[in-house]
Amino acid sequence: MKDLIELRQGINEIDSEIINLLQRRAEISKGVANYKQEHNMKIFQPQREIELLNQRTSNLPGELRNYKGEIKMILQSIMDFSKKVQKNERELLQRT
């Protein structure tokens, strides 16, 4: 059995991967902001957000099904982060 230090190291590695994925998402979100700006679209599209949350949590694997509410909250936070990135990008675009 792994000891606590090894287990925590595994979690630390996963956290680093999550940060890298969030950075990639932020970069893509900037592109989305540019597209929405060019096409006069609002940043927040509530119906799309609801659909995505439902799609992404409808077939959770294994034990994750027991944490559907928590997974939805995490995904909502990630979407909120992306909307913030888009808002900031749009503000930068409007200044130039």
Side-chain angles (χ1 to χ4, degrees):
M1 180 174 192
K2 293 183 179 183
D3 68 11
L4 186 57
I5 293 171
E6 288 177 297
L7 294 168
R8 286 181 174 165
Q9 182 58 37
I11 289 174
N12 292 343
E13 290 171 11
I14 292 168
D15 289 347
S16 292
E17 289 178 42
I18 291 169
I19 296 297
N20 289 333
L21 290 171
L22 288 171
Q23 179 60 43
R24 285 179 50 202
R25 185 179 179 99
E27 292 303 317
I28 293 170
S29 293
K30 289 177 184 179
V32 170
N34 291 325
Y35 181 91
K36 288 179 178 179
Q37 177 77 17
E38 290 171 9
H39 293 86
N40 297 315
M41 297 172 69
K42 293 181 179 181
I43 289 172
F44 179 49
Q45 299 177 334
Q47 188 58 39
R48 174 166 163 69
E49 199 166 285
I50 290 167
E51 289 170 7
L52 287 173
L53 286 171
N54 289 333
Q55 284 174 0
R56 297 208 171 111
T57 58
S58 64
N59 291 315
L60 293 170
E63 188 178 337
L64 287 183
R65 280 177 256 165
N66 297 328
Y67 303 100
K68 184 175 181 175
E70 289 79 3
I71 300 292
K72 267 191 176 181
M73 287 177 11
I74 291 166
L75 292 172
Q76 183 66 61
S77 292
I78 292 169
M79 289 181 190
D80 292 345
F81 163 72
S82 293
K83 287 183 287 196
K84 178 73 172 179
V85 170
Q86 288 180 42
K87 180 179 179 284
N88 289 344
E89 182 69 10
R90 184 170 275 184
E91 288 171 0
L92 283 173
L93 291 171
Q94 291 173 345
R95 285 188 225 148
T96 57

